[in-house]
Amino acid sequence: QVQLVESGGGLVQAGGSLRLSCAASKSLSTLNYMGWYRQTPGKQRELVAAITRGDSTTYADSAKGRFTIARDNAKNMVYLQMNILKPEDTADYYCNTYYLGVNSWGQGTRVTVSS
């Protein structure tokens, strides 16, 4: 199993920015997929953005144009730059990867956007 540790969450005003970080215990060059998900109470966890080993990216419609996912293979880090944040972006954000049949999640980092 890959260990993932998120950081960078916090409280920000609407219109502001945050950058989330995810540190992986395994070399990113061996991980085909890294994703950021978010979850609010009573709702299912949803994909926000994902990036493949070949740097192909996918974004939720709500994230397009505002969020950017990136990976730094040298540091085994994945980032989620979030701009123009909205109150509806308030959630717990989780890093995710899938390796050798095991789906791994971090502990999450909370983002709160005030109006």
Side-chain angles (χ1 to χ4, degrees), residues 25-67:
S25 63
K26 193 162 186 62
S27 171
L28 291 193
S29 62
T30 64
L31 301 176
N32 288 328
Y33 163 90
M34 296 292 298
W36 282 100
Y37 289 72
R38 67 186 182 189
Q39 188 172 24
T40 54
K43 292 189 177 181
Q44 284 192 329
R45 198 168 290 188
E46 63 176 7
L47 176 69
V48 177
I51 187 167
T52 68
R53 187 166 56 183
D55 285 334
S56 294
T57 57
T58 300
Y59 294 94
D61 286 344
S62 60
K64 288 178 181 176
R66 299 189 299 127
F67 295 2

Side-chain angles (χ1 to χ4, degrees), residues 61-106:
D61 286 344
S62 60
K64 288 178 181 176
R66 299 189 299 127
F67 295 2
T68 303
I69 188 171
R71 57 194 291 162
D72 185 335
N73 289 348
K75 297 181 179 179
N76 294 334
M77 297 288 292
V78 178
Y79 304 100
L80 184 67
Q81 178 66 44
M82 305 188 296
N83 299 326
I84 318 174
L85 282 161
K86 304 175 182 180
E88 50 264 44
D89 295 318
T90 294
D92 291 323
Y93 285 72
Y94 298 88
C95 188
N96 170 259
T97 192
Y98 187 82
Y99 179 71
L100 295 181
V102 178
N103 202 14
S104 297
W105 296 93

Side-chain angles (χ1 to χ4, degrees), residues 7-12 18 20 82 85 90-91 109-114:
S7 61
L11 173 64
V12 64
L18 280 175
L20 305 184
M82 305 188 296
L85 282 161
T90 294
T109 186
R110 179 156 295 178
V111 172
T112 303
V113 184
S114 63

